[in-house]
Structure formats: structure tokens, C-alpha cells
């Protein structure tokens, strides 16, 4: 939770070739829920995410966990297609206090495999290093979540360790942890498509 004195740096809106990333807000709850409440997505997330997912859980999450923290060392964007910016099809979450990672993301299943998440994380990493003052980003994913791992590879991160972890899917028991420094980022600063 933020303190009343923390400086607010609101999540900027990003336009990429195919996407708009805009600060996630309560009004996004219905489309977020439509795409997010899917075991194929949620099973890859930390075991702190409830499953079965509660009714109204998304609205509650946005209202109590996202909106009060937006811009206070945490930034959560809803991913939208340019042709339909009213509908959130996924999200990217960036936070300063590593646990150990600093980022999470998900995308509705019917949008997988088109390069959208690689496109979405690009301006978020740029924001982290060039605006929010991160010197290093740490990422993680379940061992076996190859799509997620591939995004880290494509954006220049290095795999540094493997640790025991718990996910919603009890069959996933290990995380791989990745790192990307600002210097590494700046030295390869062109979108990988
Ligand atoms: C992880 C996730 C966000 C990927 O989104 P996406 O838009 O499909 O990702 P992209 O298309 O940008 O990149 C995926 C990469 O994985 C590759 N890929 C696709 N299917 C794959 C598979 N079965 N095994 C390995 N790699 C695969 C793609 O080919 C692509 O790499 P390429 O560009 O070199 O071809 C999405 O699958 C998702 O929401 N998963 C569930 C939630 C989740 O895992 N979140 C992350 C937790 S760490």
C-alpha cells in the first residue's frame, strides 16, 4: 500500500502499432473479466490468485488493489486493440518492490500467438527505465510457461535462476527468474517483432 506522501507518477497511455495501453480503471472490469476468468490463463499465475475465481472478483480487485495503487510505485495498464479501444483484452502490471519480479501480464486466449504481448511490454519497459528510474527489471514465469519465457528472451532478458514457487496450477512448482539491466536495455533499444 502506498503512503500519503509518495509521489504519484500516473501510468501514461501508450500507442503501439496495433495496441493502446491505458491505465486500468473500474470501467474496464466487464471486459477484463470476460477474457481473464479462464483457467488456461489463471493457472500460470501465482497461487495467491483465487481459483475458482469469485463472481465480481475482477471489479473488487480493480477497485481495492489496482486503483488506489496506480502511480504509487505500481502501474497497471489495460491492453486494448486499436480498432476496439473500449475492450480490455489483457493487462501489464509493473511494480517497484520486487517479489522478486517487477512485472506480470496476461492476454485473452484468443489473442495469443500474434506478438501482442511482446508489443505491449516494449513501451512498459521503456517507461520503467527511462521515466520511472528502474536500474534493473526482474521477471519470472513458471518453468514450462514457454510463451511467457519467449517474451523475456525476445526482449533481451537473461535467465538467472530457478526457484521453488507455487502457482494456481499445483503441477507448476518452479519459477525461472530473469533479469534485464537498464544498460542492457539501452544497448538493444529497438522493438523485437
Ligand atoms: C504469456 C502470454 C501473455 C503470451 O502472449 P502472446 O501475445 O501470445 O505472446 P507473443 O505472441 O508476443 O509471444 C509468444 C511467443 O511464444 C511463442 N509460442 C507460442 N506458442 C508457444 C508454445 N506452445 N511453446 C513455446 N512458445 C510458444 C510464440 O511463437 C512467440 O514467440 P515468437 O515471436 O518467437 O514466435 C499469454 O500466453 C498468456 O496470457 N498466458 C497466460 C498468462 C500468463 O502466462 N502470464 C504470464 C505469467 S508469467
Amino acid at each position: 500500500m502506498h503512503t500519503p506522501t509518495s509521489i504519484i507518477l500516473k501510468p501514461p497511455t501508450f500507442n503501439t502499432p496495433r495496441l493502446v495501453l491505458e491505465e486500468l480503471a473500474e470501467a474496464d472490469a466487464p471486459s477484463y473479466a470476460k477474457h481473464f476468468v479462464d483457467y488456461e490463463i489463471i493457472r500460470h499465475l501465482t497461487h495467491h490468485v483465487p481459483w475458482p475465481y469469485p463472481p465480481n472478483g475482477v471489479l473488487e480487485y480493480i477497485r481495492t488493489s489496482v486503483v488506489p495503487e496506480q502511480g504509487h510505485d505500481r502501474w497497471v495498464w489495460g491492453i486494448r486493440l486499436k480498432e476496439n479501444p473500449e475492450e480490455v483484452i489483457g493487462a501489464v502490471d509493473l511494480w517497484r518492490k520486487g517479489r522478486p519480479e517487477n512485472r506480470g501480464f496476461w492476454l485473452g486466449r484468443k489473442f495469443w500467438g500474434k506478438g501482442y504481448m511482446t508489443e505491449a511490454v516494449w513501451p512498459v519497459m521503456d517507461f520503467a527505465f527511462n521515466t520511472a528510474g528502474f536500474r534493473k527489471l526482474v521477471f519470472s514465469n513458471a518453468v514450462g510457461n514457454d510463451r511467457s519465457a519467449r517474451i523475456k528472451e525476445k526482449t533481451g532478458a537473461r535467465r538467472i535462476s530457478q526457484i521453488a514457487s507455487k502457482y494456481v496450477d499445483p503441477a507448476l512448482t518452479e519459477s525461472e527468474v530473469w533479469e534485464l539491466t537498464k544498460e542492457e536495455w539501452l544497448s538493444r533499444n529497438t522493438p523485437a517483432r
Side-chain angles (χ1 to χ4, degrees):
M1 209 44 188
H2 62 89
T3 62
T5 53
S6 48
I7 296 165
I8 302 175
L9 174 60
K10 296 286 267 178
T13 298
F14 300 124
N15 282 277
T16 69
R18 294 174 296 171
L19 308 171
V20 180
L21 275 71
E22 202 173 67
E23 150 174 33
L24 190 69
E26 274 187 43
D28 298 317
S31 57
Y32 189 114
K34 178 173 125 190
H35 297 295
F36 176 71
V37 183
D38 174 348
Y39 188 67
E40 267 312 301
I41 293 175
I42 292 178
R43 75 184 190 88
H44 294 104
L45 306 183
T46 165
H47 72 292
H48 299 298
V49 179
W51 187 264
Y53 204 80
N56 287 324
V58 167
L59 181 59
E60 187 70 9
Y61 163 74
I62 296 176
R63 184 178 284 159
T64 63
S65 298
V66 175
V67 171
E69 295 188 12
Q70 282 286 31
H72 299 270
D73 287 341
R74 186 177 175 206
W75 302 269
V76 189
W77 289 267
I79 301 172
R80 306 136 202 279
L81 294 176
K82 271 194 171 152
E83 67 257 28
N84 184 16
E86 300 303 308
E87 183 171 3
V88 163
I89 63 162
V92 185
D93 191 342
L94 175 74
W95 57 87
R96 202 180 297 278
K97 196 163 188 271
R99 44 178 199 253
E101 74 277 15
N102 303 107
R103 186 186 70 192
F105 51 54
W106 67 270
L107 190 70
R109 209 191 316 181
K110 71 178 183 186
F111 305 100
W112 292 4
K114 302 175 195 292
Y116 285 146
M117 194 54 80
T118 306
E119 192 169 315
V121 296
W122 207 271
V124 171
M125 291 192 291
D126 191 54
F127 168 82
F129 289 128
N130 292 324
T131 303
F134 283 73
R135 303 296 311 175
K136 183 176 86 173
L137 285 170
V138 177
F139 311 121
S140 75
N141 54 262
V143 171
N145 188 353
D146 296 334
R147 289 185 177 86
S148 182
R150 184 76 191 111
I151 290 167
K152 283 115 180 168
E153 273 170 6
K154 283 195 287 182
T155 51
R158 282 171 290 107
R159 199 187 267 107
I160 54 166
S161 64
Q162 194 163 314
I163 56 175
S165 287
K166 286 187 180 168
Y167 289 88
V168 172
D169 182 345
L172 302 172
T173 57
E174 299 264 312
S175 295
E176 43 195 8
V177 181
W178 306 71
E179 195 173 282
L180 179 69
T181 64
K182 181 173 182 178
E183 290 68 33
E184 289 167 332
W185 171 252
L186 292 177
S187 72
R188 56 158 297 138
N189 196 358
T190 50
R193 300 245 195 275

